[in-house]
Amino acid sequence: MSAPDTTVIQLNLKTPYGGLYNIYATNVAEAKELLQAFREELVQEIHDTEVVLNAASNMAAASKSAPVASGGAAPPQEKPAAPAAPSAGIPSCDTHACTMRLVPAGISKKTGKPYKAFYACGQPQAMSCGQTKPAA
């Protein structure tokens, strides 16, 4: 989607999972107002949705690479726990006092070794303090 003709300021926000959101404004005051509304009303919902979509993507990738049993069917897999609601025990970053984001279990791209799910600082990657906490 291209910016409206009245756009003077365009803010492009990219999430850690690759989502891209554009905010268009006609002046600085409007840009500040729209950015504040985005932070207060949408960031947590976007985060929660992306966590679910990322987990689903990881599950789909894992099921494609699952070994096939001799009978031709893939072995049964344990169903993952549903993502926790924002108020249901998601830890906060001690440095930024923000809600941490869930990083699903996976395989390290660097080492090729599996790692367990964990929570990471919820700030954008460039501003993250690097704090992590284990997921249950």
Side-chain angles (χ1 to χ4, degrees):
M1 175 181 169
S2 60
D5 292 338
T6 58
T7 299
V8 175
I9 298 171
Q10 177 177 339
L11 304 171
N12 302 312
L13 309 168
K14 188 169 184 180
T15 67
Y17 290 114
L20 181 62
Y21 300 89
N22 299 312
I23 296 176
Y24 304 110
T26 57
N27 57 54
V28 172
E30 183 183 24
K32 285 182 179 181
E33 181 181 326
L34 291 170
L35 188 57
Q36 182 67 27
F38 183 84
R39 264 192 308 233
E40 290 175 357
E41 299 175 23
L42 296 174
V43 168
Q44 188 63 51
E45 289 185 39
I46 289 169
H47 171 266
D48 294 345
T49 301
E50 287 188 335
V51 166
V52 170
L53 292 174
N54 189 51
S57 175
N58 288 344
M59 287 173 30
S63 68
K64 286 181 184 175
S65 63
V68 176
S70 60
Q77 295 195 3
E78 220 175 278
K79 288 186 178 180
S87 60
I90 294 180
S92 294
C93 173
D94 298 329
T95 304
H96 296 105
C98 63
T99 301
M100 298 184 92
R101 63 183 172 84
L102 178 65
V103 178
I107 298 180
S108 170
K109 290 179 184 174
K110 276 186 180 175
T111 66
K113 295 181 181 179
Y115 58 85
K116 294 181 179 181
F118 62 93
Y119 287 98
C121 175
Q123 291 292 318
Q125 195 168 11
M127 298 174 13
S128 174
C129 63
Q131 181 182 15
T132 63
K133 294 182 181 179

